[in-house]
Amino acid sequence: MKISKLLIVILAIIQIYSLLKMGKTTNIAKYIRDGKIPNKLTEYIKDREENPRKYENLPYSIIEKELSDQSCDGFNEFVPKMKQRVYFNDFRRKDNLEFYINRALDRVYCEEDPKISIAAYELSNSSLVEKISYLKKRIPKLKVNIVIEGDVISKSKQKQSVIEKLKSIGVSIKSDAKVRGNNLMHHKFIVINEKWLLTGSTNFSNRGVNMNGNNLVEIYSKKTCEVYLKEFDKLWSKTFSRAKKNSGKIMEVNKDTKVIMGPSNNINNSMFRLISSAKKSIEISMFSFSSSSTLTLLSVLKRSNRKIRLKLDNLTLGLKIQFNGQRKRLKDHLTNLKINFESDGSKSMYHHKYMIIDAYTANAMVLVGSMNYSDSGFYKNDENILIIKDKRIVEKFTKHFEYKYSEKVTTKLNPKKIRWPKFKSIEKNGDELKISVLNDLSEISIKLKDNKRWVKYHTDYGTKKEFVVRGIKRKHDLKLYSDSGVLFQQLVINTKNSVIQIPRKQCTYNYLKSNMWYDC
């Protein structure tokens, strides 16, 4: 009886889904018959470029199947009036980032030599993967090259299957896995036909596109794309992180656009030159902020009567950083320095990475890209920063900052236990120590230091990571860190004992209260 009831429920769900899908198809066909949507591919592409709001929430895959004329006859390349545009998925009117990414990818239609180059920390958004697959099958001559962060793939079988699916249809994919000396390949950019660029803070995952607070910058410029393609070529040749030997200098594309590529020892100098140029104000909207040198500079500018405001993810405000010889929460350092800040108390990540210098002035500019303001962001990870002076773009970032800074979160957050990365077990195996670590937070990568040396040998099993320390000593000082240098847990163990036990109350962070992260 139970099985038959379950079967009836499943069949009912399938029937409802089919009816909904049929309803969408019928509506789209009616729109085309009524002339609300052009029935010719070239006219549809042009109309969607000029009237994006009309199409933002319509199913693109159904529309493309319903178009009666799929030829490229009479096609003229679309040249936008606005060469730079920006979209936010957490503003007053939320932009549908999936739509804008898919619309950009569709520009390979009717091109003589269509190309898509993607450098992505993560690539698992179902709509994006479906779109790439559809275009690759539809346009046989389309070249799609993707560079992906290896650690992200290794942690998830679902993400591995996505990569294998794309490879099976002829998409070329490389990663930084097993490349010695590399850190995170943290880029989030797409270059289309060598003249369209998408970049910003958005990871190309379902959470990144639809849930976490993010921005997406779209630029029509061959010169800007040339700079990004040079970076892509380095990654494609398996040259990552510091091996790229990037200068870290500011590269001028035109009077309104400049670019910095990382990592580099000089990025700090380039960033500090820009920050120090502020005459009136600095607004920073950031997911991760742990750079003590940047904090020092902000404190100096604060004393020089610059208006400084920070909008940060609540996770960042609760993490401890070393500053002026003291290890405290970032929130406490900012309070002591009398620097104004606001926490984002939403349930999703506040994942933006931008800074506005001298808003509301003739010299206003915005710095936006993939880089968090941390030592890893400056000196280790593959990163990009766009420096934009276009008044319209800066104004939109400024309005977004003002909206988020003054935003009052209505969701009441009750104290909630957080499962932070922690040691699970430690076993002796001959001349080796096997150390198991639990990590339920997929957004945070972890690493282990043993007696001041990083442990190289490890295996990922989803939420569990197993480290191997070769060569047992009498004492081992084990420290569990995040990639950005946050210390989660420290254990000093004596290997004379036959059984190594982990103390129950060894933790660094545990509770969420009043929208801030606290020690346990």
Side-chain angles (χ1 to χ4, degrees), residues 225-364:
C225 287
E226 281 175 13
V227 176
Y228 276 79
L229 285 172
K230 281 182 182 177
E231 174 73 2
F232 185 84
D233 289 342
K234 291 178 183 179
L235 304 173
W236 194 250
S237 65
K238 290 273 188 175
T239 309
F240 296 94
S241 194
R242 299 180 67 85
K244 290 185 302 184
K245 298 181 180 178
N246 281 343
S247 67
K249 293 180 180 177
I250 300 169
M251 296 174 278
E252 186 167 336
V253 178
N254 54 51
K255 64 183 181 67
D256 287 337
T257 311
K258 298 174 184 176
V259 181
I260 304 174
M261 290 292 178
S264 170
N265 287 335
N266 292 321
I267 275 195
N268 232 352
N269 297 333
S270 297
M271 292 289 292
F272 283 15
R273 274 172 51 204
L274 292 164
I275 296 171
S276 300
S277 70
K279 299 292 188 293
K280 290 192 173 182
S281 64
I282 294 171
E283 278 88 23
I284 295 176
S285 192
M286 193 64 50
F287 170 62
S288 179
F289 186 110
S290 59
S291 168
S292 57
S293 53
T294 306
L295 193 55
T296 301
L297 182 58
L298 291 179
S299 67
V300 171
L301 291 172
K302 170 72 176 174
R303 292 197 296 271
S304 303
N305 296 321
R306 270 57 161 198
K307 181 182 178 182
I308 297 173
R309 294 183 295 167
L310 280 67
K311 173 74 176 183
L312 303 172
D313 187 82
N314 51 25
L315 169 66
T316 292
L317 283 166
L319 298 183
K320 289 187 176 182
I321 67 168
Q322 194 75 20
F323 178 70
N324 281 350
Q326 294 182 309
R327 187 172 182 80
K328 292 183 178 179
R329 292 174 300 173
L330 176 59
K331 173 199 171 187
D332 298 328
H333 286 306
L334 293 171
T335 302
N336 293 340
L337 295 169
K338 297 181 179 178
I339 292 176
N340 295 323
F341 67 91
E342 288 291 337
S343 164
D344 178 75
S346 63
K347 292 181 179 180
S348 300
M349 280 186 184
Y350 189 75
H351 198 249
H352 293 284
K353 306 167 197 308
Y354 69 81
M355 172 168 60
I356 306 164
I357 296 174
D358 287 338
Y360 307 109
T361 72
N363 298 317

Side-chain angles (χ1 to χ4, degrees), residues 436-454:
S436 292
V437 174
L438 288 179
N439 179 21
D440 288 343
L441 301 177
S442 59
E443 311 86 36
I444 296 176
S445 296
I446 53 174
K447 53 187 180 179
L448 180 66
K449 187 176 273 189
D450 169 45
N451 295 339
K452 299 183 179 181
R453 290 187 178 183
W454 295 111

Side-chain angles (χ1 to χ4, degrees), residues 327 420-424 426 436-438 447-449 477-482 486-492 502-509:
R327 187 172 182 80
W420 284 93
K422 63 179 182 179
F423 292 107
K424 183 188 178 187
I426 301 173
S436 292
V437 174
L438 288 179
K447 53 187 180 179
L448 180 66
K449 187 176 273 189
D477 184 3
L478 302 172
K479 293 179 181 178
L480 189 61
Y481 286 92
S482 75
V486 176
L487 177 64
F488 289 125
Q489 193 174 359
Q490 181 176 6
L491 289 178
V492 179
I502 298 172
R504 286 185 180 181
K505 294 186 178 181
Q506 286 276 356
C507 65
T508 308
Y509 307 104

Side-chain angles (χ1 to χ4, degrees), residues 48-60:
R48 196 174 56 162
E49 293 281 5
E50 293 174 348
N51 304 293
R53 296 296 191 199
K54 184 167 105 177
Y55 293 93
E56 220 176 283
N57 296 308
L58 293 178
Y60 68 88

Side-chain angles (χ1 to χ4, degrees), residues 1 28 54 99 125 136 168 228 315 356 501:
M1 285 293 289
I28 296 302
K54 184 167 105 177
F99 166 78
N125 175 258
K136 186 65 181 168
S168 69
Y228 276 79
L315 169 66
I356 306 164
Q501 293 185 336

Side-chain angles (χ1 to χ4, degrees), residues 151 154 446 455-461 465-468:
D151 284 349
S154 65
I446 53 174
V455 179
K456 295 180 181 179
Y457 306 101
H458 60 82
T459 308
D460 284 307
Y461 301 98
K465 196 167 188 174
E466 193 171 89
F467 293 90
V468 177

